[in-house]
Every structure is written in C-alpha cells, then in structure tokens.
C-alpha cells in the first residue's frame, strides 16, 4: 500500500498541478492531441464505413486494409516521423499516428453496424417509396447507431491510452509525467501518471456513453 499512498500524496500536492510541467498543462495537451486525432479519424472513417455499409460492397476490403494499422505500433510510426521533415511540425506526427491507430475500429463498426440492420426493415422502407438517402437516414443510421457508438468509444479509449507514447518522442501529454518519473526513479510519480491516464480514459468513455443514451432518448421523444 506504500506505493498507492505515495501516489495519492503526489496527486494531492498542489505544486504538481501548476506550471508548464504541471498536471493541468499536461492534461490539456493530452486532451488536445487525443481529441484532434479522434475527430479527424471519425471524419475520415465514419462516413466511409457508413457509405460502404449502405452500398453493401467494397466494405470487406476497406476493413481489411484499415486493420493493417492495428499491426503497426504507434511508436514505430512516430519514430519514422521523427526522421522525416515532420519532426519539427509540433503535434502533427503524434496526431497522424493516432489517427491511423483509431481508424480501424471506427471504420469496422460503422460498416458492420449498417450491414447488420434488419434487411426486412430496409425492404419495408423501400416498399413505402423511400429513396436510398431516406432509407439511410431514417432506417439504417438509427438502427446502426449502437454499434457505431461502440466503435467510437473503443477508438476514444485506445487513443487516450496510446497518446502517452507521445512523451517518448519529446511531445507533451500525461505521458511526460510517467517518463519524468522513470527518469528520476520516482515510482509514485509513475503510478500517479498512469492513474491519470486511466481516469481520463474512463471519463471519456463515460461521457460518450452518456451522450449516446441522451441522443437515443431525444430520438425516441422526437418520434413520439
């Protein structure tokens, strides 16, 4: 219990929350990098996955290609960027690496979510005279939402957790707290940094779940 007590003492020390190397600054950096990567990955992967799912073709190939990104370590991508002209581009290498990491679950779940929609519901909507766009917006997208949001939640948690590797190439974020602890052999600081990352990941997941439930509730009220 000594390490836990020491980590708690480190976290509750006011001096550790302020300044350029404080928790507040590192947390802001982590949220900025993770948020930017998730937004970009969602903007790229979700429309493509939903569209391919609606068409019902080409999705398997796209999903298999995107899954190649799972086999490539984020740190390896960052290391390559660090010897390229992008090494002086601030957070760009980190964001790009995290985008590549986040796209597979987003694309896969978007595609699978639409394809798993009950075809009877789609045929019924088509029989009512709905256009392809109306079927997508009013039938496929609402029914696919739970699977799509599961992919978003999974990608968000993975991005938040993986963004710590940015510290290994000199970037900011909560990972800097962990690497600084290793450098000074401060186990309490290392544990505290890991706890902060875990809590942030849980918070992000909780916010997404709450937002999904609120959206679903509002949708049911609108239908009534």
């Amino acid at each position: 219990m000594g390490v836990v007590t020491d980590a708690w003492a480190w976290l509750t020390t006011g001096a550790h929350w302020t300044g350029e190397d404080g928790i507040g600054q590192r947390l802001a950096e982590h949220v900025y990098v993770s948020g930017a990567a998730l937004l970009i990955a969602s903007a790229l992967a979700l429309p493509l996955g939903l569209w391919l799912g609606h068409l019902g073709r080409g999705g398997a190939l796209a999903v298999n290609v995107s899954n190649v990104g799972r086999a490539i370590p984020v740190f390896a991508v960052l290391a390559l960027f660090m010897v390229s002209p992008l090494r002086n581009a601030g957070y760009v290498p980190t964001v790009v690496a995290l985008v590549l990491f986040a796209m597979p679950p987003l694309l896969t779940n978007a595609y699978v979510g639409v394809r798993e929609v009950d075809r009877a519901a789609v045929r019924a909507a088509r029989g009512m005279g709905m256009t392809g766009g109306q079927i997508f917006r009013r039938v496929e997208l609402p029914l696919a939402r739970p699977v799509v949001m599961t992919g978003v939640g999974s990608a968000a948690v993975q991005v938040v957790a993986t963004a710590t590797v940015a510290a290994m190439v000199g970037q900011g974020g909560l990972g800097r707290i962990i690497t600084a602890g290793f450098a000074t052999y401060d186990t309490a600081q290392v544990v505290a940094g890991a706890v902060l990352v875990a809590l942030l990941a849980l918070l992000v997941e909780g916010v997404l779940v709450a937002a999904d439930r609120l959206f679903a509730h509002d949708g049911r009220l609108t239908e009534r």
Side-chain angles (χ1 to χ4, degrees):
M1 295 296 291
V3 174
V4 175
T5 303
D6 292 343
W8 175 254
W10 194 94
L11 286 170
T12 54
T13 300
H16 294 155
W17 287 83
T18 59
E20 294 183 357
D21 295 325
I23 295 174
Q25 176 65 25
R26 297 307 183 195
L27 178 61
E29 294 168 349
H30 205 101
V31 170
Y32 169 75
V33 172
S34 301
L38 185 62
L39 287 175
I40 295 172
S42 298
L44 294 173
L46 291 182
L48 178 59
L50 294 171
W51 180 64
L52 292 174
H54 174 69
L55 293 179
R57 56 180 181 269
L61 176 61
V63 169
N64 289 332
V65 171
S66 72
N67 282 337
V68 173
R70 296 179 186 270
I72 303 175
V74 173
F75 183 71
V77 177
L78 282 175
L80 291 175
F81 280 135
M82 288 301 105
V83 296
S84 74
L86 288 176
R87 64 181 179 275
N88 296 319
Y91 287 109
V92 172
T94 302
V95 171
V96 172
L98 291 175
V99 166
L100 296 176
F101 183 70
M103 286 185 66
L106 292 169
L107 179 59
T108 301
N109 279 54
Y111 174 77
V112 171
V114 176
R115 292 312 303 160
E116 287 186 348
V117 170
D118 188 353
R119 294 299 100 186
V122 174
R123 288 193 296 270
R126 187 174 292 112
M128 295 171 60
M130 287 189 182
T131 64
Q134 290 174 327
I135 292 173
F136 174 73
R137 293 191 302 272
R138 299 181 184 180
V139 180
E140 291 178 328
L141 190 57
L143 293 177
R145 178 189 51 78
V147 178
V148 174
M149 288 304 299
T150 297
V152 173
S154 175
V157 171
Q158 291 178 22
V159 165
V160 170
T162 309
T164 55
V165 303
M168 300 180 70
V169 292
Q171 298 296 320
L174 294 174
R176 289 293 291 273
I177 295 174
I178 298 174
T179 56
F182 277 122
T184 57
Y185 302 98
D186 189 340
T187 304
Q189 183 173 343
V190 173
V191 174
V195 168
L196 288 170
V197 174
L199 289 176
L200 179 59
L202 291 174
L203 176 62
V204 169
E205 184 177 24
V207 169
L208 289 174
V209 169
D212 181 42
R213 290 178 179 175
L214 180 61
F215 181 81
H217 178 70
D218 289 344
R220 287 193 295 268
L221 291 179
T222 301
E223 292 175 357
R224 294 177 184 174

